[in-house]
């Protein structure tokens, strides 16, 4: 019987990370925790100030907070968590350690990223970069802001080199075997990320940085936004795919099950590489200067992402059912009872999966060319991505750290820690139910996103918002409490929990015996990159050529704060 906390998992304790690896991984998670805390404070203040519950002190601007929130959570927290997790799992599955050069490369990336975070923190806190996390021109921040973002994103390439090298090292040693699933999925995630970041790195290096340094007087706004969204859509898959890795590879082990298939997860990740990049224009339906046909083509391509999403839903549920049946469940749905619901490391991601259902449904509305007009730039949008990113993904990352930290510090994930962790799940789902529902409703009622508190000079429509605004604000309070309890558990697991008697295993599942081996074509990365390259050329060449050639006058910089 799966009891929860300890009982659910298999403790083989055969593998312990050497100290240099532990330091490397922990260093990433620690920065992520700081970023999460800063972002959460900003989130709380936003949530309760834009409802009119509190008035921000004059020294703090609403948009400054919002910039801090977006940068710290969407870029810093996510990237550091993802890099830490992918490095950890790749090291474990490619032999247990990295080689010293592999490790040095990852540290190099860490230093660049950290330098970038420091520059951005200074720029934002001094109120010289209140341009939000999308940094659309013609709003112009001080140069170190853009340089900081560049360093964070480019720095994140280096640990990708570590992952590729470890993967290649393993393949050389095992030429005929399919690669370990975790390493394969990390490589796929990184290929997606390298291609995606090309867009925004180009925008930063050749447009925003020279312009903010004063070397260029004006900027081509339409082209800059297009390079941004070339990156801004696939970035959501960079956030999501590590969560999928946890579902596909880590969960089976903790629930005494097996990975359902050795092919499906690989196919899913390859499809994500193909379908996530040539679709950024679905964020620019309202932008002038791009012909509707290209928006239509990219809107259509967007919907293909349903395929890998449904494949994942199928594979994950099948894996749950097999695990339950393997533990004696025979009656219909009896397998559900065999799952370790009391263990937050299982409960959190599964609650996350449930939130993904309305999240995905809302995403279909956003991506629909016509329906988008109803919700565009309203509170509906943050309502949507607080379900997907800030619930499905975050709850899964939370579970990941409840494994990672004990396995890196050698301390025990105690039943008390697990109880507090379950409280985090309760606080988060309650808070998000309130805040996200309210945001969706407010959006449909017409309240804009990215707007400080205003009563619109007493316009009638504001009356219909009053209740929902209060609900949004109270949701924000629950969410903030959730993060406080979460970080409390993390501090406990880092410093106070009892030393574990045996090594805490970081769970990596085995593929079930009956699963056929994956076809070698799925490891032919050159082929997949060539296909995605062709798709990008088809979807983007003409819009970009038009944006670059038809704009005669660029925009001078603007300070809106
Ligand atoms: C304490 C928990 C949180 C609260 C109370 C909160 C609250 C909010 C609110 C009220 C907004 C909308 C502001 C506006 O449009 O005027 C917002 C925006 C946003 N939130 Fe959160 N949030 C929380 C956690 C998170 C997390 C965990 C993430 C991601 C990992 C996240 C990512 C974002 C992003 C990317 C935006 C958009 C910023 C923009 O439009 O520039 N939030 N948040
Ligand atoms: Cu998108």
């Amino acid at each position: 019987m799966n009891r929860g906390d300890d009982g659910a998992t298999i403790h083989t304790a055969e593998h312990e990370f050497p100290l240099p690896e532990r330091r490397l991984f922990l260093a990433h998670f620690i920065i992520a925790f700081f970023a999460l805390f800063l972002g959460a404070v900003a989130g709380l203040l936003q949530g309760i100030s834009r409802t009119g519950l509190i008035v921000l002190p004059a020294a703090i601007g609403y948009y400054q907070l919002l910039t801090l929130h977006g940068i710290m959570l969407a870029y810093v927290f996510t990237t550091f968590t993802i890099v830490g997790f992918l490095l950890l799992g790749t090291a474990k599955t490619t032999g247990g350690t990295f080689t010293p050069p592999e490790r040095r490369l990852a540290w190099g990336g860490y230093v660049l990223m950290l330098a970038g975070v420091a520059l951005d923190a200074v720029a934002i806190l001094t109120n010289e970069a209140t341009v939000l996390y999308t940094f659309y021109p013609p709003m112009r921040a001080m140069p170190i802001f853009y340089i900081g973002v560049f360093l964070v994103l480019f720095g994140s390439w280096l640990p990708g080199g570590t992952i590729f090298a470890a993967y290649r090292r393993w393949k050389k040693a095992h030429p005929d075997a399919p690669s370990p699933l975790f390493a394969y999925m990390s490589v796929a995630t990184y290929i997606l990320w390298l291609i995606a970041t090309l867009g925004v790195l180009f925008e930063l290096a050749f447009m925003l940085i020279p312009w903010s340094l004063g070397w260029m007087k004006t900027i081509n706004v339409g082209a800059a936004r297009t390079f941004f969204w070339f990156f801004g859509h696939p970035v959501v898959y960079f956030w999501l795919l590590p969560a999928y890795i946890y579902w596909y590879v880590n969960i089976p082990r903790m629930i005494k099950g097996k990975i359902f298939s050795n092919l499906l997860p690989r196919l899913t990740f390859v499809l994500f590489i193909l379908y996530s990049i040539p679709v950024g224009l679905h964020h620019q339906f309202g932008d002038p200067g791009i012909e509707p046909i290209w928006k239509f083509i990219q809107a259509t391509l967007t919907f293909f992402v349903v395929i890998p999403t449904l494949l994942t839903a199928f594979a994950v549920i099948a894996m749950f059912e097999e695990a339950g049946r393997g533990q004696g469940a025979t009656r219909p749905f009896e397998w559900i009872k065999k799952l370790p619901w009391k263990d937050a490391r299982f409960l959190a991601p599964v609650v996350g999966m449930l939130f993904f259902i309305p999240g995905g449904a809302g995403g279909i509305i956003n991506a629909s060319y016509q329906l988008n007009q109803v919700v565009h730039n309203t509170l509906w949008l943050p309502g949507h991505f607080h379900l997907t990113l800030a619930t499905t993904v975050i709850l899964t990352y939370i579970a990941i750290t409840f494994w990672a930290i004990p396995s890196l510090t050698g301390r025990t994930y105690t039943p008390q820690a697990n109880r507090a962790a379950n409280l985090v799940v309760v606080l988060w789902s309650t808070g998000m139910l309130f805040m996200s529902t309210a945001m969706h409703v407010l959006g449909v009622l017409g309240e804009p996103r990215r707007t400080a508190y205003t009563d619109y000079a007493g316009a009638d429509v504001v009356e219909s918002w009053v209740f929902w605004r209060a609900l949004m604000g109270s949701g924000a309070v629950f969410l903030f409490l959730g993060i406080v309890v979460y970080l409390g558990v993390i501090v406990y697991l880092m410093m106070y929990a009892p030393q574990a008697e045996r090594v805490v295993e970081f769970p990596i599942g085995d593929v079930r015996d009956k699963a056929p081996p994956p076809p070698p074509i799925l490891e032919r990365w050159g082929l997949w990159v060539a296909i995605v390259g062709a798709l990008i050329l088809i979807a983007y060449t003409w819009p970009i050529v038009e944006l670059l050639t038809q704009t005669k006058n660029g925009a001078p910089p603007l300070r809106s704060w």
Side-chain angles (χ1 to χ4, degrees):
M1 164 81 191
N2 274 339
R3 262 196 311 109
D5 53 86
D6 232 25
T9 47
I10 302 166
H11 277 247
T12 47
E14 284 158 1
H15 170 258
E16 185 177 15
F17 286 112
L19 193 60
E21 262 74 15
R22 278 190 266 161
R23 283 211 187 105
L24 175 66
F25 308 149
L26 270 177
H28 285 86
F29 289 118
I30 287 171
I31 302 300
F33 298 139
F34 278 108
L36 181 64
F37 182 70
L38 269 180
V41 172
L44 173 71
L45 294 175
Q46 282 155 222
I48 57 180
S49 77
R50 71 164 290 158
T51 59
L53 284 176
I54 60 157
V55 180
L56 290 171
I60 306 177
Y62 180 80
Y63 303 98
Q64 188 183 6
L65 279 179
L66 194 52
T67 307
L68 186 71
H69 185 72
I71 294 280
M72 283 302 146
L73 293 172
Y75 298 149
V76 180
F77 166 71
T78 50
T79 307
F80 277 85
T81 308
I82 292 166
V83 171
F85 173 56
L86 296 187
L87 285 174
L88 191 160
T90 303
K92 179 158 182 187
T93 55
T94 57
T97 58
F98 287 129
T99 63
E102 288 166 2
R103 221 167 24 232
R104 274 199 296 278
L105 191 61
W107 274 116
Y110 180 81
V111 171
L112 289 184
M113 293 198 296
L114 199 56
V117 175
L119 292 179
D120 281 348
V122 171
I124 296 169
L125 296 175
T126 54
N127 202 20
E128 291 300 322
T130 300
V131 293
L132 307 186
Y133 82 114
T134 42
F135 42 83
Y136 293 142
M139 286 193 292
R140 186 175 69 174
M142 73 195 297
I144 60 165
F145 172 78
Y146 301 112
I147 295 170
V149 177
F150 187 94
L151 288 176
V152 171
L153 297 177
F154 178 70
S156 73
W157 282 29
L158 275 54
T162 303
I163 287 168
F164 292 161
Y167 170 84
R168 222 173 288 135
R169 171 167 53 71
W170 194 93
K171 289 289 284 180
K172 262 211 192 109
H174 309 78
D176 299 320
S179 55
L181 201 48
F182 196 111
Y184 178 95
M185 295 166 105
S186 303
V187 167
T189 306
Y190 250 99
I191 288 178
L192 183 150
W193 182 236
L194 294 186
I195 301 173
T197 42
L198 286 176
V200 69
L201 290 177
F202 180 88
E203 184 203 5
L204 287 161
F206 297 107
M207 302 180 85
L208 293 170
I209 293 175
W211 175 66
S212 75
L213 287 168
W215 301 346
M216 280 160 44
K217 289 277 163 292
T218 60
I219 194 161
N220 181 333
V221 170
R225 289 168 63 92
T226 307
F227 287 121
F228 180 83
W229 284 114
F230 178 96
F231 149 87
H233 180 74
V235 72
V236 309
Y237 292 104
F238 179 62
W239 300 330
L240 183 65
L241 293 187
Y244 277 17
I245 296 179
Y246 183 75
W247 303 356
Y248 271 120
V249 179
N250 301 101
I251 290 185
R253 177 124 188 137
M254 77 169 288
I255 66 174
K256 297 181 180 159
K258 289 273 169 86
I259 297 172
F260 180 72
S261 154
N262 203 355
L263 183 154
L264 258 183
R266 296 177 201 253
L267 179 64
T268 310
F269 274 46
V270 165
L271 292 179
F272 273 120
I273 297 179
L274 300 189
Y275 297 149
S276 64
I277 296 164
V279 299
L281 286 187
H282 68 219
H283 293 264
Q284 297 175 268
F285 288 148
D287 279 26
I290 302 166
E291 281 172 56
I293 181 69
W294 297 106
K295 296 177 181 172
F296 175 77
I297 289 171
Q298 295 209 13
T300 310
L301 280 171
T302 302
F303 285 97
F304 279 97
V305 97
V306 169
I307 301 167
T309 308
L310 292 182
L311 287 177
T312 300
F314 168 75
V316 168
I317 297 172
M319 177 262 289
F320 287 174
E321 176 168 355
E322 277 206 341
R325 289 188 183 277
Q327 289 162 73
T330 47
R331 284 190 316 261
F333 299 109
E334 194 191 348
W335 52 270
I336 295 177
K337 282 200 225 133
K338 300 281 180 188
L339 299 171
W341 295 105
K342 291 192 178 130
D343 191 325
R345 297 166 298 186
F346 176 75
L347 181 68
V350 175
V351 169
M353 291 171 201
L354 294 177
F355 273 91
F356 210 44
I357 298 169
I364 292 176
I365 291 173
N366 304 339
S368 302
Y369 200 166
Q370 299 88 337
L371 273 179
N372 179 278
Q373 305 303 314
V374 180
V375 297
H376 199 80
N377 277 341
T378 67
L379 268 183
W380 168 285
L381 261 292
H384 161 73
F385 61 70
H386 282 82
L387 290 179
T388 49
L389 168 61
T391 305
T392 309
V393 168
I394 295 300
L395 284 178
T396 304
Y397 289 4
I398 284 178
I400 288 171
T401 55
F402 287 152
W403 282 115
I405 302 304
S407 85
L408 297 174
T409 58
R411 292 179 189 272
T412 316
Y413 180 78
T414 55
Q416 296 89 304
N418 187 57
R419 267 200 298 279
N422 279 329
L423 176 64
V424 175
V425 181
V426 172
L427 287 169
W428 200 268
S429 27
T430 314
M432 206 48 93
L433 212 58
F434 288 4
M435 188 174 94
S436 170
T437 308
M439 283 173 153
H440 278 90
V441 175
L442 283 164
V444 174
L445 291 175
E447 178 158 12
R449 71 183 281 202
R450 297 182 148 180
T451 309
Y453 176 74
T454 164
D455 68 354
Y456 294 90
D460 290 343
V461 64
V462 176
E463 215 152 289
S464 67
W465 300 348
V466 173
F467 167 77
W468 299 103
R469 277 179 164 180
L471 192 65
M472 177 172 106
S474 38
V477 176
F478 278 97
L479 291 169
F480 182 74
L481 290 177
I483 290 193
V484 171
V485 177
Y486 168 63
L487 290 175
V489 178
I490 289 296
V491 169
Y492 171 76
L493 291 176
M494 292 238 213
M495 301 198 291
Y496 302 105
Q499 291 288 340
E501 278 156 27
R502 38 204 306 211
V503 183
V504 183
E505 186 206 2
F506 187 78
I508 300 279
D510 298 317
V511 180
R512 67 186 185 138
D513 309 328
K514 278 182 278 176
I521 193 168
L522 286 175
E523 309 230 16
R524 295 213 15 223
W525 298 108
L527 172 70
W528 304 112
V529 172
I531 296 177
V532 74
L535 282 173
I536 291 170
L537 287 178
I538 293 170
Y540 267 116
T541 308
W542 193 244
I544 298 252
V545 167
E546 283 208 316
L547 283 165
L548 290 178
T549 53
Q550 295 191 348
T551 311
K552 299 283 178 292
N553 301 311
L558 179 92
R559 186 177 171 119
S560 55
W561 67 97

